[in-house]
């Protein structure tokens, strides 16, 4: 099986594609595949030339930390939860998330997610029970990994601009449902940075590894 | 004091940062990656607390006694009391900042029973307590970031402490974006870097927790404690990259452990310990599995799909996703795995190490769990330790002067540059793999003098060669320079295990299977230019005899 990876040495260098051969079993995650390529003795590309190890980010390796978000066969996904056996065709393409600056190979700088939440004061501070008693919804919203997959797939999100995407909408919901005193403040920033810019393609819902009901978050925040 | 450097941004690091900020201190919170990537998000079970209105006769003293007993009485009453006395306050704090705890039918915060505890006192958030606490703490940190009291620094890895004459003045940090070392001076430094998974390769935890900080600071004169006590979790599902934890709930719901012999199932835990054999403590089950020395399965299929989906859906999903196993139809292949480290930096009641102004909190510190940890106490200790260190720091007078470490920083920069120039046939990853193999083999669930000596010989050999291994320029620089510290820590762990010639808690020696009075004390280990010295802490814990708790 061919594996094509979009690589980039430094944040400012040119990206380039490099191919690898994988002849191991298909019952392996893409994270496992990357480890296999990197540490199965020397790393050799598909032209038989020794090359450098592929940079990628991981921590939990079981879908709860969001580190290994990347684009696999055109679909944004977590590498540790995507299995070779489920991918179609004889070639796998892997590239870093496009909506964020590349640090090295498949490692991207997603700090803009946190920065956007910080500058709009998205924090609870004091739990004050609101009318929304949908505990399950709040629990799911708080499971957000900040992995950036929802932003990668979003047609409206551009890094550095004023539309902050589904990750922002869900945190807005979480704060407003946990602190009733912040509802009007949250609705205001939600309107400025999400409500007005979302074209409702809802592709964010499909790629969310935590299955957060973004549509329900939007519906509650839009309600008057 | 004014400026605090917190290294590590999981639950303990964030707890410390928040408390520092509340007390008016300025915090720099350093980590390579955002808090969402910390191992803390993987903590599933819950957090222990005794609330005044618990309605079940539970008391702080019962919690203290359970903790001391679970830890083989290696911790002192005084230190554990401090932890348990503030558990209610900590739970209320987490509720206040918006943590989404599970609630019962009356809307009250729900709690569950955990092993080894006299009362039901473990509060939880579904199957993701750690993640939910991380999410609320991130928001609280964010508030203080917006207020200018906490500054986060990402892509920043710990390199070494700025230590002179027993005092810490800051840390050297490697910035992976600029690829440079940077000196950060601070009035106090708090280490919150987690456990030591890398020593063992595959564990239940995060790849980011590698023990380097402990190993490096140990080389710089910081004492470590109780390294021999490593908790194994008996039921994990092995995948190519890690050991995934199969929650104790699977056995709690009636799951049965067995191996096959002559085509028949042997339910070895029930045969040896009776009806409730599968529910024995983690260390006992792990040890029995090791001694059986056969492939072992956990069967829950008799519960039926409907009950499994309702009671242990996360176990069902994990097995399906990672191994294609339908647990309603077939048993789960399970293996014990390294899960938690009771040992780490030796710290005072205020979480200060033997180096002044250098503190340690969370799993990288050794304080409350003694020879074994109770479920639900790690999250509590992580938050309490962070708060306690912050309060001590805030109460101290600062000193604007510090020695000049620019010469030290320049020398370290030169070392990194020289090592980075040549590519090696044997990259650091190769030695890391060898180390994991050695530690799994020689420092397993059951140890003996011979295996520990073999481990020490191997690790000494890796250490001798560590300085000759050239750096692999295509991986993070941290991954390269961390090798010597990691190996040094491994050597210290093996030494502690060798010198404890008894069995206690999670430390089991086949050549010394009994607990001995002469070892009823924690182990302190120090390092002096290649010499590893252990001594008893001399702080012997005893039962506090709260009859109601038995």
């Amino acid at each position: 099986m061919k594996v094509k990876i979009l690589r980039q040495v430094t944040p400012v260098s040119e990206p380039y594609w490099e191919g690898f051969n994988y002849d191991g079993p298909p019952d392996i995650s893409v994270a496992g595949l990357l480890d296999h390529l990197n540490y199965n003795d020397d790393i050799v590309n598909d032209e038989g030339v020794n090359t450098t190890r592929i940079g990628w980010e991981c921590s939990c390796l079981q879908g709860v930390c969001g580190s290994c978000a990347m684009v696999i066969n055109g679909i944004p996904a977590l590498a540790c939860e995507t299995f070779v056996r489920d991918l179609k065709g004889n070639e796998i393409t892997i590239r870093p998330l496009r909506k964020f600056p590349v640090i090295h190979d498949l490692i991207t700088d997603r700090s803009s997610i946190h920065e956007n939440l910080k500058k709009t004061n998205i924090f609870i501070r004091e739990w004050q029970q609101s009318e929304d008693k949908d505990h399950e919804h709040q629990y799911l919203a708080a499971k957000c990994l900040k992995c950036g997959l929802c932003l990668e797939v979003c047609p409206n999100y551009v890094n550095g601009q004023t539309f902050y995407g589904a990750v922002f909408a869900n945190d807005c919901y979480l704060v407003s449902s946990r602190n009733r005193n912040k509802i009007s403040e949250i609705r205001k920033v939600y309107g400025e940075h999400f409500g007005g810019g979302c074209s409702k393609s809802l592709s964010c819902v499909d790629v969310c590894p935590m299955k957060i009901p973004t549509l329900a978050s939007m519906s509650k925040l839009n309600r008057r | 004091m004014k400026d605090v450097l917190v290294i590590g941004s999981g639950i303990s690091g964030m707890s410390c940062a928040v408390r520092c900020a509340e007390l008016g201190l300025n915090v720099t919170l350093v980590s390579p990656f955002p808090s969402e990537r910390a191992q803390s998000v993987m903590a599933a079970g819950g957090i222990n607390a005794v609330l005044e209105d618990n309605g079940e006769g539970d008391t702080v003293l019962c919690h203290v006694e359970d903790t001391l007993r679970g830890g083989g009485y290696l911790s002192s009453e005084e230190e554990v009391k401090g932890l348990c006395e503030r558990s209610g306050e900590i739970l209320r704090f987490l509720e206040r900042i918006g943590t989404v705890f599970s609630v019962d039918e009356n809307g009250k915060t729900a709690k569950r029973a955990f092993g080894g505890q006299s009362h039901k006192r473990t509060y939880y958030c579904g199957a993701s307590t750690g993640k939910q606490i991380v999410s609320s703490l991130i928001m609280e940190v964010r508030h203080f970031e917006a207020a200018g009291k906490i500054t986060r620094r990402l892509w920043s890895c710990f390199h070494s402490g700025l230590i002179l004459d027993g005092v810490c003045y800051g840390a050297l940090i490697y910035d992976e974006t600029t690829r440079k070392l940077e000196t950060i001076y601070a009035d106090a430094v708090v280490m919150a870097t987690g456990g030591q998974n890398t020593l063992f390769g595959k564990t239940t935890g995060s790849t980011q927790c590698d023990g380097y900080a402990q190993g490096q600071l140990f080389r710089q004169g910081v004492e470590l404690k109780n390294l021999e006590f490593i908790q194994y979790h008996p039921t994990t599902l092995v995948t190519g990259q890690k050991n995934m934890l199969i929650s104790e709930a699977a056995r709690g719901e009636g799951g049965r452990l067995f191996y096959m012999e002559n085509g028949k199932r042997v339910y070895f835990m029930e045969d040896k310990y009776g009806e409730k054999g599968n529910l024995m403590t983690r260390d006992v089950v792990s040890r029995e599995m090791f001694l059986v020395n056969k492939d072992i399965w956990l069967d829950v299929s008799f519960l039926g799909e409907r009950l499994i989906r309702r009671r242990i859906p996360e176990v069902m999903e994990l097995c399906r996703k990672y191994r294609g196993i339908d647990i309603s139809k077939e048993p789960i292949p399970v293996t014990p795995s390294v899960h938690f480290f009771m040992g780490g930096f030796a710290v005072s009641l205020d979480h200060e190490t033997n180096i002044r102004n250098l503190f340690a909190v969370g799993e990288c510190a050794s304080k409350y769990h003694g020879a074994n940890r109770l479920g639900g106490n790690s999250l509590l200790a992580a938050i309490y330790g962070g708060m306690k260190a912050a309060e001590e720091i805030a109460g101290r007078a600062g000193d604007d002067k510090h020695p000049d470490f620019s010469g030290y920083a320049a020398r370290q920069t030169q070392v990194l540059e020289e090592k980075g120039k040549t590519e090696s046939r044997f990259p650091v990853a190769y030695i890391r793999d060898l180390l994991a193999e050695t530690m799994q083999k020689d420092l397993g669930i059951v140890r003996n003098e011979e295996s520990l000596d073999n481990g020490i010989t191997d690790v000494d050999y890796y250490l001798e060669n560590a300085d000759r291994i050239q750096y692999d320029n295509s991986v993070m620089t941290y991954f390269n320079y961390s090798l010597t510290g990691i190996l040094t820590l491994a050597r210290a762990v093996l030494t502690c295990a060798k010198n404890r010639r008894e069995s206690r808690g999670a430390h089991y020696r086949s050549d010394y299977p009994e607990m001995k009075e002469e070892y009823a004390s924690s182990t302190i280990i120090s390092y002096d230019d290649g010499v590893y010295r252990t001594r008893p802490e001399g702080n012997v814990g005893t039962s506090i005899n709260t009859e109601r708790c038995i």
Side-chain angles (χ1 to χ4, degrees):
Chain A
M1 180 175 277
K2 286 270 181 215
V3 183
K4 274 177 63 186
I5 300 176
L6 187 63
R7 308 194 58 179
Q8 187 171 329
V9 178
T10 71
V12 292
S13 59
E14 281 297 309
Y16 62 97
W17 287 97
E18 186 163 29
F20 298 88
N21 292 318
Y22 173 68
D23 53 7
D27 199 19
I28 189 173
S29 68
V30 170
L33 168 73
L34 289 167
D35 256 359
H36 179 92
L37 294 175
N38 268 340
Y39 294 115
N40 195 18
D41 288 333
D42 287 339
I43 179 164
V44 178
N45 67 18
D46 59 356
E47 290 170 0
V49 177
N50 274 329
T51 185
T52 54
R53 286 174 215 284
I54 305 150
W56 66 289
E57 193 185 324
C58 71
S59 175
C60 78
L61 291 168
Q62 59 183 84
V64 294
C65 81
S67 294
C68 61
M70 52 188 75
V71 183
I72 302 161
N73 281 2
I75 298 170
L78 299 181
C80 68
E81 289 202 314
T82 306
F83 290 84
V84 171
R85 62 173 183 253
D86 300 328
L87 299 173
K88 293 192 179 101
N90 278 326
E91 186 175 284
I92 302 173
T93 60
I94 306 173
R95 57 182 301 159
L97 300 176
R98 275 169 285 199
K99 298 284 179 79
F100 304 96
V102 171
I103 296 287
H104 169 58
D105 286 349
L106 302 170
I107 302 169
T108 53
D109 180 1
R110 290 168 273 177
S111 54
S112 57
I113 295 174
H114 184 78
E115 290 304 315
N116 289 342
L117 292 163
K118 188 169 83 182
K119 61 191 176 203
T120 44
N121 291 338
I122 305 300
F123 36 77
I124 297 167
R125 288 254 70 204
E126 292 287 339
W127 176 37
Q128 299 285 343
Q129 188 70 58
S130 70
E131 279 177 23
D132 183 295
K133 294 196 173 55
D134 191 343
H135 189 269
E136 180 65 13
H137 188 179
Q138 293 164 21
Y139 177 76
L140 284 171
K143 283 179 89 172
C144 175
L145 304 179
K146 307 292 184 288
C147 61
L149 291 178
C150 60
L151 304 182
E152 176 70 13
V153 80
C154 175
N156 310 111
Y157 179 82
V158 178
N159 201 34
Q161 296 199 2
T162 57
F163 177 76
Y164 294 167
V167 62
F168 177 77
N170 284 314
D171 261 25
C172 281
Y173 163 72
L174 181 61
V175 173
S176 65
S177 65
R178 300 296 284 177
N179 185 349
R180 64 172 179 267
N181 297 334
K182 287 191 81 165
I183 290 176
S184 56
E185 177 193 336
I186 292 294
R187 283 206 168 131
K188 184 169 177 291
V189 289
Y190 169 79
E192 285 168 11
H193 297 288
F194 186 86
C198 173
S199 58
K200 299 188 179 53
S201 79
L202 300 183
S203 45
C204 51
V205 177
D206 297 333
V207 297
C208 177
M210 292 290 108
K211 308 278 178 255
I212 300 171
T214 303
L215 193 58
S217 302
M218 290 162 60
S219 143
K220 287 175 182 173
L221 285 161
N222 287 332
R223 212 176 287 156
R224 293 286 167 189
Chain B
M1 288 193 169
K2 290 184 307 219
D3 299 316
V4 183
L5 177 61
V6 179
I7 297 172
S9 70
I11 286 179
S12 63
M14 285 196 288
S15 154
C16 185
V18 164
R19 192 75 186 116
C20 283
E22 283 173 349
L23 295 169
L25 302 168
N26 299 315
V27 181
T28 303
L29 184 56
V30 162
S31 58
F33 302 109
S35 297
E36 285 88 354
R37 318 292 180 242
Q39 180 175 288
S40 303
V41 301
M42 300 169 72
I47 178 166
N48 291 335
V50 179
L51 302 184
E52 282 175 8
D53 58 344
N54 67 77
E56 291 172 23
D58 195 9
T59 63
V60 167
L61 281 186
C62 287
H63 187 191
V64 173
E65 172 63 19
D66 290 346
T67 304
L68 290 173
R69 189 175 56 238
Y73 296 104
L74 284 190
S75 305
S76 75
E77 181 187 337
E78 189 187 13
E79 53 201 12
V80 174
K81 228 177 192 171
L83 170 80
C84 299
E85 275 173 349
R86 290 182 74 177
S87 66
E89 175 194 338
I90 286 169
L91 196 84
R92 295 299 180 217
F93 161 74
L94 292 174
E95 283 183 326
R96 176 179 71 72
I97 63 171
T99 309
V100 186
F101 280 101
S102 291
V103 290
D104 62 19
E105 56 279 7
N106 303 315
K108 271 187 76 174
T109 310
K111 57 189 173 182
R112 53 167 58 131
F114 254 28
Q117 306 203 44
S118 56
H119 292 78
K120 200 196 263 193
R121 63 167 78 94
T122 309
Y123 295 84
Y124 63 97
C125 313
S128 62
T129 309
K131 171 65 186 171
Q132 296 289 331
I133 292 175
V134 165
S135 292
S136 60
L137 273 171
I138 287 173
M139 287 214 185
E140 193 64 1
V141 169
R142 194 181 288 149
H143 158 74
F144 285 109
E145 285 179 75
K149 296 304 291 180
I150 297 178
T151 305
R152 274 187 188 265
R153 272 196 64 144
L154 294 179
W155 307 108
S156 302
C157 304
F158 175 73
H159 176 278
S160 53
L162 303 179
I163 297 171
L164 189 68
D165 297 332
V167 183
C168 180
Y169 297 94
L172 210 53
I173 297 296
Y174 187 82
D175 186 320
E176 293 283 352
T177 56
T178 60
R179 303 194 175 195
K180 283 186 177 143
L181 281 172
E182 194 176 321
T183 308
I184 301 184
Y185 292 104
D187 296 317
V189 175
V190 183
M191 304 305 297
T193 49
Q196 316 152 17
N197 302 331
T198 293
L199 268 56
F200 293 87
K202 282 202 271 191
T203 70
T204 59
S206 162
T207 56
Q208 299 295 326
C209 297
D210 59 14
Y212 166 69
Q214 292 97 308
Q216 169 59 31
L217 287 167
F218 179 62
R219 291 174 72 89
Q220 294 184 265
V222 181
E223 291 182 336
L224 304 178
K225 176 177 158 185
N226 283 349
L227 299 176
E228 65 272 37
F229 297 110
I230 296 165
Q231 187 178 78
Y232 275 76
H233 197 288
T235 56
T236 72
L237 182 73
V238 178
T239 71
Q241 290 179 294
K242 76 172 299 182
N243 301 334
M244 300 203 175
L245 196 141
I246 302 291
S247 159
E248 247 144 30
R251 282 178 293 136
E253 295 295 339
R256 303 177 75 189
L257 290 161
F258 72 90
Y259 63 82
M260 295 300 290
E261 195 166 72
N262 301 324
K264 283 188 178 165
R265 290 183 176 191
V266 178
Y267 294 99
F268 59 100
M269 289 305 294
E270 294 163 50
D271 291 348
K272 187 159 181 181
Y273 296 96
E275 209 179 317
K276 291 196 168 174
N278 295 297
L279 292 170
M280 296 297 285
T281 55
R282 290 174 181 180
D283 51 332
V284 172
V285 180
S286 297
R287 203 174 305 136
E288 293 297 338
M289 289 170 74
F290 174 84
L291 294 172
V292 158
N293 196 23
K294 287 187 166 69
D295 290 340
I296 293 180
W297 283 271
L298 174 65
D299 186 20
V300 293
S301 62
F302 55 86
L303 291 171
E305 188 177 340
R306 200 174 58 88
L307 220 52
I308 288 173
R309 280 192 190 283
R310 207 168 71 210
R311 302 256 179 89
I312 44 172
E314 68 282 2
V315 176
M316 186 172 208
E317 177 60 8
L318 188 123
C319 293
R320 184 200 62 74
K321 192 188 284 177
Y322 289 98
R323 289 283 298 272
I325 296 167
D326 179 352
I327 66 170
S328 69
K329 294 195 172 67
E330 51 193 322
I332 310 164
V334 287
T335 308
S337 167
V338 169
H339 179 56
F340 186 87
F341 300 89
M342 274 69 76
F345 291 112
V347 291
S348 68
L349 283 172
D350 297 313
H351 279 262
E352 191 171 25
T353 67
N354 59 311
I355 301 295
R356 188 159 172 78
N357 298 336
L358 177 65
F359 295 75
V361 299
E363 195 175 345
C364 72
S366 179
K367 194 65 188 163
Y368 310 102
H369 311 307
N372 214 342
R373 173 181 68 84
L374 289 186
N377 266 357
S378 60
L379 290 176
L380 176 64
I383 296 166
Y384 173 74
M387 288 168 54
K388 190 77 181 147
E391 288 159 8
E392 173 62 19
I393 293 164
R396 284 193 186 172
D399 186 351
D400 288 339
K401 286 185 236 153
H402 59 74
D404 180 12
F405 283 89
S406 57
Y408 172 72
R411 280 196 302 283
Q412 295 306 315
T413 298
Q414 200 180 350
V415 169
L416 289 186
E417 279 172 3
E418 279 170 13
K419 291 210 170 200
K421 277 177 192 161
T422 317
E423 303 215 354
S424 171
R425 260 190 65 71
F426 296 105
V428 168
Y430 181 78
I431 305 291
R432 280 189 177 213
D433 285 350
L434 286 176
L435 173 68
E437 210 174 287
T438 295
M439 297 297 272
Q440 294 275 6
K441 182 163 58 72
D442 296 326
L443 190 84
I445 299 165
V446 175
R447 300 116 185 225
N448 62 56
E449 196 86 3
E450 190 187 348
S451 71
L452 294 165
D453 280 337
N454 287 340
I456 287 172
T457 305
D458 284 356
V459 174
D460 278 343
Y461 177 70
Y462 307 146
L463 266 168
E464 276 171 31
N465 288 284
D467 280 343
R468 288 199 281 276
I469 296 288
Q470 297 298 334
Y471 287 5
D472 179 346
N473 292 320
S474 62
V475 299
M476 279 173 76
T477 303
Y478 172 81
F479 191 83
N480 290 315
Y481 73 69
S482 57
L483 181 66
T484 303
I486 289 169
L487 290 171
T488 307
L489 178 66
R491 174 64 160 83
V493 176
L494 286 159
T495 305
C496 288
K498 177 181 159 72
N499 290 358
R500 182 173 286 278
R501 293 187 172 92
E502 64 151 359
S503 293
R504 183 186 295 267
H507 173 70
Y508 187 83
R509 293 274 304 247
S510 57
D511 44 355
Y512 300 100
E514 305 297 326
M515 188 149 76
K516 292 182 185 171
E517 193 54 36
E518 64 194 279
Y519 287 101
S521 178
S522 294
T523 310
I524 299 287
I525 186 162
S526 57
Y527 179 91
D528 184 11
D529 199 19
V531 179
Y532 298 73
R533 284 196 189 87
T534 60
R535 62 180 165 83
E537 189 180 41
N539 187 13
V540 184
T542 53
S543 168
I544 55 172
N545 287 324
T546 50
E547 286 171 16
R548 283 170 304 161
C549 309
I550 309 300

